[in-house]
Amino acid sequence: MNWPALLSAGLIAAVLSGCASYKHKPVNYQAAESGGHTVTADGVSVAAEAFETKEETVGAFDEDLTEEGIVPVQVLVRNGTSGNILIQRDTVQLVDATGQVHRPVPAIVVAEAVEDNAMAYALLGFGIFSYASAQEANKERTADYQSKELDEAKIVTPGAEHGAFVYFKLPKGVDPNSSRLKLQVQHVGSNQVAGIELEL
């Protein structure tokens, strides 16, 4: 973690506001279908859209996640079958144009990468109130990012849909739009597993 940079950022924020805050941003998960990236297999439809710009990430997460190389991928799963299906986060992969496989990073890691430096607020003379406000903002940010994250194991019932994000930390030069998202869908009754792959 680049502490001098964080300290500078903390100083600027502190001077401007005197305290830190985090604003929850609601998300329309159905919008994942608007990009045209949808695949249907065995009665299950999956749509996905990469949030790769500052505007997109600030709009959904109140932070420019792109500065940390983090790309949230919005996923919408529709269960058109007559049985329950299971989606497991550890089956999700992002495969870039070179064939390199990238695994999801937990929401808490994403939140920590952009958290407010509470100690910097205190040391810069804004006192215990600003320290507490930074801690509270970090707590709210982490909770929000986790609430938007695809569960480790998610059951989607017949006729239902589920929207969530999967977070990836990508090296410089990796273009999400030239990548493919892969995941597995398990049909609970038969234990049949379907692999789903779609372009981002």
Side-chain angles (χ1 to χ4, degrees), residues 57 91 106 125 143 177 179:
T57 60
T91 71
N177 290 319
S179 303

Side-chain angles (χ1 to χ4, degrees), residues 91-129:
T91 71
V92 182
Q93 304 175 1
L94 187 145
V95 183
D96 66 29
T98 68
Q100 182 70 34
V101 174
H102 305 275
R103 301 284 184 175
V105 296
I108 191 169
V109 172
V110 177
E112 287 174 350
V114 293
E115 70 181 7
D116 293 304
N117 188 341
M119 188 57 69
Y121 278 85
L123 294 176
L124 289 166
F126 289 92
I128 191 65
F129 178 77

Side-chain angles (χ1 to χ4, degrees), residues 90-195:
D90 65 3
T91 71
V92 182
Q93 304 175 1
L94 187 145
V95 183
D96 66 29
T98 68
Q100 182 70 34
V101 174
H102 305 275
R103 301 284 184 175
V105 296
I108 191 169
V109 172
V110 177
E112 287 174 350
V114 293
E115 70 181 7
D116 293 304
N117 188 341
M119 188 57 69
Y121 278 85
L123 294 176
L124 289 166
F126 289 92
I128 191 65
F129 178 77
S130 290
Y131 177 84
S133 71
Q135 285 193 314
E136 182 61 26
N138 291 337
K139 181 179 177 180
E140 291 177 6
R141 179 184 295 107
T142 299
D144 187 41
Y145 288 12
Q146 288 178 321
S147 73
K148 292 172 177 172
E149 181 179 33
L150 179 65
D151 294 340
E152 289 187 10
K154 177 65 181 180
I155 293 285
V156 184
T157 56
E161 66 180 30
H162 179 68
F165 281 94
V166 184
Y167 306 100
F168 295 93
K169 185 170 177 61
L170 302 180
K172 272 190 174 181
V174 173
D175 181 9
N177 290 319
S178 300
S179 303
R180 293 170 289 125
L181 189 75
K182 300 175 68 175
L183 68 152
Q184 293 180 358
V185 175
Q186 181 178 340
H187 295 264
V188 176
S190 64
N191 285 326
Q192 178 185 351
V193 176

Side-chain angles (χ1 to χ4, degrees), residues 36-47:
H37 310 298
T38 304
V39 169
T40 301
D42 297 335
V44 179
S45 295
V46 178

